[in-house]
Amino acid sequence: MYKHDNIPFLATSFEDAKKLWEAAKPAVSKQLDKDGMMLLYAVAWPAQSLYSKDPVNSLADLKGQKMRAYSPSTSRLADLMGTTPTTIQVPDIPQAFSTGIIQAMITSPSTGVDSQAWDYVNNYTDVKAWIPKNIIVVNKRAFRRLDKATQQVILDAAKHAEAAGWTKVAARAAKDKATLIENGMVVSEPSPQLLKELQAIGKTMTEEWKAEAPKEVGEILTRYQN
């Protein structure tokens, strides 16, 4: 259930990401409950896009290169893109690019700004591969021990934080992309060919995800796509 916002090209706009979250929320809440946790709220992170040394107009431009991976999903994506997945943590990204350990990565414009991507890479292709979220949870037992008035204060604050977060994330993404440009990076939209190739990979990974839990994932996809 927790993988729903890491499936490439399932939801590539904030509107679709919100819709996907609404579709997945019942299953995520149920799983959290089993784990002794309670969902408070979730807020999207800026979309994940492609950083590369050289311009990328099709997957052929990346073939054989090493791409940063940090999870099973990103490793699978790298494989399907014809690249070699290479595990690199965020603090090590600049050195990994500078020393040739990796030549590409998919991450947010915010991570690019935080790591000063312009110092080690030239191109940012805004493929909007997926939109992950920060999910805020609380220990279920601890929450139940609070008095009703305090519980309601927390729930009201969570509702406010979620609404504000979803409103502000688009502005944050735009600001960080502008910062990349200001520092000399080439920020571009994906070519039709690259987008078509990546969307095909997205369909493959969606089907693979569904195969992991046909009933549960199938219900999420039905709610999302209808």
Side-chain angles (χ1 to χ4, degrees):
M1 296 307 98
Y2 300 142
K3 286 175 64 174
H4 72 276
D5 61 353
N6 274 254
I7 304 301
F9 302 98
L10 183 59
T12 59
S13 68
F14 290 119
E15 293 78 13
D16 284 348
K18 187 68 180 290
K19 186 178 178 183
L20 178 59
W21 172 231
E22 293 301 326
K25 189 186 294 185
V28 171
S29 296
K30 183 178 179 181
Q31 185 61 49
L32 285 170
D33 185 70
K34 289 180 180 178
D35 295 337
M37 307 298 286
M38 180 180 131
L39 171 70
L40 287 180
Y41 68 96
V43 174
W45 189 249
Q48 310 292 288
S49 289
L50 177 64
Y51 292 78
S52 60
K53 286 273 192 179
D54 301 312
V56 177
N57 293 306
S58 71
L59 290 182
D61 294 328
L62 289 170
K63 189 171 180 62
Q65 293 189 15
K66 295 177 181 178
M67 191 167 88
R68 177 189 175 229
Y70 53 86
S71 67
S73 293
T74 54
S75 290
R76 177 60 174 153
L77 175 61
D79 284 334
L80 291 171
M81 289 175 66
T83 63
T84 301
T86 306
T87 302
I88 300 293
Q89 302 305 323
V90 171
D92 300 324
I93 289 173
Q95 184 177 5
F97 268 104
S98 299
T99 58
I101 294 175
I102 56 174
Q103 291 84 39
M105 67 177 176
I106 292 181
T107 193
S108 69
S110 304
T111 299
V113 170
D114 290 344
S115 63
Q116 298 184 329
W118 48 86
D119 287 340
Y120 54 83
V121 73
N122 303 316
N123 295 272
Y124 175 90
T125 308
D126 199 14
V127 298
K128 298 183 179 71
W130 67 92
I131 297 176
K133 292 185 301 297
N134 296 315
I135 297 181
I136 310 304
V137 300
V138 64
N139 181 281
K140 185 170 60 175
R141 184 179 297 174
F143 185 83
R144 287 175 177 172
R145 287 173 177 167
L146 301 173
D147 61 79
K148 294 296 182 182
T150 303
Q151 288 181 1
Q152 194 58 51
V153 168
I154 292 172
L155 293 174
D156 289 345
K159 185 176 180 180
H160 175 77
E162 184 167 64
W166 280 88
T167 299
K168 293 178 180 179
V169 66
R172 170 67 187 271
K175 177 184 176 183
D176 289 338
K177 279 192 282 187
T179 299
L180 297 178
I181 295 171
E182 288 167 7
N183 284 277
M185 289 191 65
V186 177
V187 174
S188 60
E189 294 297 314
S191 69
Q193 181 178 349
L194 178 62
L195 195 58
K196 182 179 179 180
E197 291 171 334
L198 291 175
Q199 288 172 341
I201 289 174
K203 289 181 180 179
T204 296
M205 291 188 67
T206 298
E207 289 302 314
E208 290 176 347
W209 176 47
K210 185 176 180 180
E212 292 178 25
K215 181 178 183 297
E216 294 84 353
V217 174
E219 289 174 354
I220 291 175
L221 291 173
T222 297
R223 285 194 293 266
Y224 172 57
Q225 294 167 345
N226 289 342

